[in-house]
Amino acid sequence: MNRDELKRQLKEFIIERLSLESVTPESIDDDAPLFGDGLQLDSLDAVEIIVILQRKFHCDVKQIKKGSEIFRSINALADFIESQPHSEP
Amino acid sequence: MVLPLISGMAKLTADSVVRTFFHPAWTKPVFVVSGETENRPDLRTLHLLSQTVDRALAQAGLVPDDLRNMRVGVCLGTTVGCQFCTVMNDLHPTPAYGRFLETGTADPQEGKDYLSRNPAEWLVRRLGLPEDVPAVCVTNACSSGADAIGVATSWIRSGRCDLVIAGGCDSLSAIPFSGFSALGVYSDNPCKPFAEDRDGLTLGEGAGILILETEASLRVRGVSRSLAVLGYGSSCDAYHLTAPDPSGAGLRRAVQTALMEAGVAPSEITAINPHGTATRNNDAVEQQVLGELLSTSRILPTKNKTGHTLGAAGAIEAVFAAELAREGAVLSTSLAFGGSNAALVIGPADLPRTPCVDERDPADVPYEKPAPGKSIPRRASGFARLAVEGVCQAAQQVPDGIARTRVGLILATAFGAHRETFAFADELLEDPELPPSPLRFSHTVHNAAAAYSAIAAGIHGPCLTLCAFRNVRERAEELATYWIDSGFADAVIVGQVDESHSPLVCFVPTLENMVQFDVIARR
């Protein structure tokens, strides 16, 4: 899967699972912060994203710590997924 | 002044810690009652309950036949006990649910059995009591057991009952186990409340029961008892669905309310059985608030011995508190999912009582009604959305000039968050090796609907979810009226929410959506 397709799927899963009703994949900037400003997600959304990484992208998440860099943006999440040995959804 | 005296008490908690109670892929510790072989969480909960009630009644010097001549009530806290048919602890669907998954239909007899398993109503039948005795479960997540005892004290104080069987019960269940794991708050080792290196909670199971009785009733039986539940407090953070308000303002209000009702000064509290789940957030808030308010350093958590027993925890901890209360007043605190806080003061009935000083929160502000058409919280599920709409609409009727901490909420429901529980169970059954959605887990808790409503409508006063099949709305309205009459709140939004959906509608063909909220206020 190419990186654009990966990011599109990631955005779709996040929009669906976090009930971001008025958001479309196109409206999420790949470098915009997910927490704080940007999408204004919180800690409960963060644990949901960790489960999305496990269930949909078969990631090993044991090393992810609170406030990890991987939550910075869609690009950072995509980097993390691509760094995994088996990351196909 | 009628005091709820403790005429009998008992608790049943784990006697061993095992690591593979559920699916073999899940290796985290759980505290189990090792003699209990039932694998179905709802029935297991009822077994734990009945053993504990039998012991508490025996200690009170009563047999079930004695209860028929008294005005009795049953009020129990639970979470798993009101989830009914979903998954077994070895991750198979429960029989009726399994058949529904296969065939899309359900046997009406199974529907009837299903309706008979609310623990409070089940206990009424088991004890052979008349069908119309007040019987409800409090489904306020982790503060349920303490809140159930609080509701029971109101039935005694108001003269509604001579005796109330009060407490809580919960068995281990795959649903909270996998849910708390997915939330990232489950420890790999038995929990360490208040320790610097604490890293999360450990689940346990059990039941705690207090038999509360009026002095007049005890006198008729020729029995005397010296301990009483002196005070109860409840509040809602209205802050976040799963995280406590880090300022601790809600917990502080619940503790102050309980002390005020008890007529006990903070300096007179001799020991505390805190909630102490050993999660980073919970213990930090509790340590801060209890340290600021009270002078005793005897803070004695017990979840490192019992595990977190969810809806039973507040009741089991009330029994621990009562065991310590011969020498002076003991405080027991509970912080729940959804931002609910509860506090109980238990002590000698003859403790000198100081006149109540109403120390209102100086930062308290007038209640602000939600703007009409205010948007529903983003993540709220179907059941919660129904509740939020009903509560926000009713909130328009709250009289002006009431402080926001004096506005309460009582949500009554027969079935609670069933659609959400089935959705979570489906995900769990689909692939038990992977963690399920923590958000979906948070929606399986009945009081998520009340929590979302409190956040949307800005309700900071006492907040309870009551669950029963019979007369649950009447019980809720009765309680709201008592809260107003006794000064526990100045306005209470009270009503019922139930949602008609598949598969529940197969078990209960007559079920229709119901949302109806009103306001009862001080005149």
Side-chain angles (χ1 to χ4, degrees):
Chain A
M1 183 170 38
N2 69 39
R3 188 172 169 97
D4 284 344
E5 173 63 12
L6 171 71
K7 287 194 284 193
R8 195 188 55 77
Q9 284 200 6
L10 189 54
K11 288 176 185 176
E12 281 174 0
F13 285 131
I14 287 176
I15 289 168
E16 190 225 315
R17 295 310 287 261
L18 307 186
S19 311
L20 299 171
E21 276 162 1
S22 56
V23 178
T24 60
E26 297 73 39
S27 69
I28 304 177
D29 185 314
D30 292 352
D31 289 309
L34 299 173
F35 297 83
D37 303 337
L39 285 179
Q40 302 196 322
L41 304 183
D42 68 9
S43 58
L44 183 53
D45 297 310
V47 287
E48 190 72 24
I49 291 174
I50 291 177
V51 168
I52 292 174
L53 295 177
Q54 287 171 278
R55 284 192 89 93
K56 305 294 185 186
F57 297 96
H58 311 291
C59 292
D60 178 2
V61 299
K62 278 193 207 74
Q63 301 309 317
I64 300 179
K65 292 273 176 298
K66 204 178 170 185
S68 162
E69 278 292 290
I70 71 156
F71 295 116
R72 204 180 58 240
S73 64
I74 291 291
N75 265 327
L77 279 171
D79 289 345
F80 175 76
I81 295 169
E82 285 181 340
S83 74
Q84 296 280 314
H86 306 288
S87 59
E88 291 295 304
Chain B
M1 165 89 141
V2 184
L3 259 191
L5 290 155
I6 299 171
S7 66
M9 62 187 184
K11 61 180 185 307
L12 175 63
T13 58
D15 49 8
S16 68
V17 188
V18 298
R19 275 181 174 268
T20 53
F21 186 77
F22 305 101
H23 190 273
W26 299 348
T27 53
K28 283 188 190 239
V30 284
F31 289 83
V32 297
V33 175
S34 53
E36 179 52 58
T37 53
E38 175 58 58
N39 192 26
R40 190 168 148 176
D42 54 349
L43 301 181
R44 194 175 168 94
T45 297
L46 298 179
H47 287 195
L48 300 174
L49 169 66
S50 58
Q51 291 174 58
T52 312
V53 168
D54 287 348
R55 282 165 47 198
L57 284 175
Q59 212 207 40
L62 290 163
V63 294
D65 273 350
D66 299 332
L67 300 175
R68 289 183 198 150
N69 305 319
M70 305 164 88
R71 292 177 310 144
V72 176
V74 176
C75 191
L76 300 172
T78 192
T79 61
V80 174
C82 280
Q83 267 177 346
F84 311 109
C85 294
T86 52
V87 293
M88 311 266 274
N89 281 338
D90 54 5
L91 284 186
H92 288 86
T94 45
Y97 184 47
R99 263 188 294 286
F100 170 79
L101 289 177
E102 264 174 40
T103 64
T105 57
D107 177 353
Q109 183 54 44
E110 280 172 341
K112 232 174 139 189
D113 291 349
Y114 192 92
L115 291 173
S116 70
R117 243 172 270 123
N118 175 295
E121 294 174 316
W122 177 86
L123 186 64
V124 165
R125 281 192 306 278
R126 181 177 174 274
L127 294 173
L129 298 170
E131 254 198 347
D132 59 349
V133 305
V136 291
C137 281
V138 178
T139 47
N140 241 37
C142 310
S143 67
S144 303
D147 286 317
I149 292 169
V151 172
T153 62
S154 75
W155 291 353
I156 296 283
R157 286 177 190 274
S158 66
R160 179 85 173 76
C161 296
D162 302 320
L163 179 147
V164 184
I165 300 171
C169 51
D170 251 331
S171 89
L172 286 163
S173 159
I175 289 179
F177 177 87
S178 57
F180 281 119
S181 301
L183 276 168
V185 295
Y186 205 110
S187 176
D188 287 331
N189 299 292
C191 65
K192 293 187 267 187
F194 299 105
E196 274 298 318
D197 62 344
R198 66 184 183 272
D199 61 356
L201 60 85
T202 307
L203 285 184
E205 62 181 356
I209 294 291
L210 295 181
I211 309 291
L212 300 182
E213 200 169 346
T214 62
E215 203 194 348
S217 171
L218 283 163
R219 209 181 309 117
V220 170
R221 302 204 285 124
V223 177
S224 87
R225 289 287 187 273
S226 58
L227 287 179
V229 179
L230 301 172
Y232 162 64
S234 160
S235 74
C236 186
D237 287 350
Y239 174 78
H240 188 268
L241 187 64
T242 54
D245 178 354
S247 80
L251 178 63
R252 199 174 295 115
R253 276 200 308 282
V255 172
Q256 278 169 333
T257 308
L259 290 170
M260 219 172 73
E261 184 176 51
V264 167
S267 59
E268 288 177 278
I269 294 292
T270 57
I272 303 164
N273 186 319
H275 194 52
T277 56
T279 60
R280 303 295 316 170
N281 290 349
N282 173 88
D283 288 15
V285 172
E286 224 178 348
Q287 216 156 11
Q288 179 201 325
V289 170
L290 297 177
E292 270 169 28
L293 271 182
L294 306 163
S295 49
T296 180
S297 57
R298 290 183 74 206
I299 300 182
L300 311 166
T302 44
K303 286 192 174 70
N304 50 329
K305 300 188 196 82
T306 64
H308 189 350
T309 57
L310 301 177
I316 288 170
E317 281 144 32
V319 175
F320 275 114
E323 286 169 354
L324 292 169
R326 303 236 168 254
E327 295 118 62
V330 178
L331 175 74
S332 180
T333 47
S334 296
L335 281 76
F337 169 93
S340 286
N341 306 284
L344 292 169
V345 177
I346 296 175
D350 59 357
L351 200 72
R353 322 190 75 206
T354 42
C356 297
V357 184
D358 188 350
E359 282 183 44
R360 294 281 160 83
D361 190 342
D364 205 355
V365 294
Y367 179 66
E368 211 173 296
K369 292 169 193 170
K374 183 181 176 344
S375 66
I376 288 173
R378 157 169 65 93
R379 290 179 294 218
S381 64
F383 178 63
R385 278 166 190 262
L386 287 178
V388 170
E389 280 178 45
V391 169
C392 284
Q393 210 175 2
Q396 309 303 327
Q397 311 304 317
V398 172
D400 291 331
I402 291 178
R404 68 175 190 178
T405 58
R406 306 282 302 163
V407 179
L409 171 65
I410 307 177
L411 191 153
T413 183
F415 301 100
H418 265 75
R419 181 217 293 262
E420 289 77 1
T421 309
F422 286 116
F424 185 79
D426 285 347
E427 194 179 26
L428 205 57
L429 294 169
E430 185 188 295
D431 192 346
E433 309 264 336
L434 287 172
S437 155
L439 251 176
R440 281 192 178 156
F441 167 60
S442 69
H443 293 153
T444 65
V445 184
H446 285 358
N447 75 327
Y452 277 121
S453 302
I455 292 168
I459 295 163
H460 289 70
C463 178
L464 294 185
T465 299
L466 304 183
C467 185
F469 296 121
R470 287 175 55 95
N471 306 327
V472 66
R473 189 183 161 82
E474 287 77 357
R475 292 290 96 79
E477 285 171 353
E478 219 174 77
L479 183 64
T481 305
Y482 175 79
W483 281 3
I484 299 296
D485 292 347
S486 64
F488 200 68
D490 289 342
V492 183
I493 299 169
V494 57
Q496 184 168 356
V497 187
D498 274 295
E499 191 186 17
S500 169
H501 64 88
S502 163
L504 190 55
V505 82
C506 287
F507 296 112
V508 194
T510 55
L511 187 64
E512 286 176 21
N513 271 3
M514 134 119 67
V515 187
Q516 199 194 338
F517 283 91
D518 296 308
V519 174
I520 299 179
R522 183 168 49 92
R523 263 175 286 191

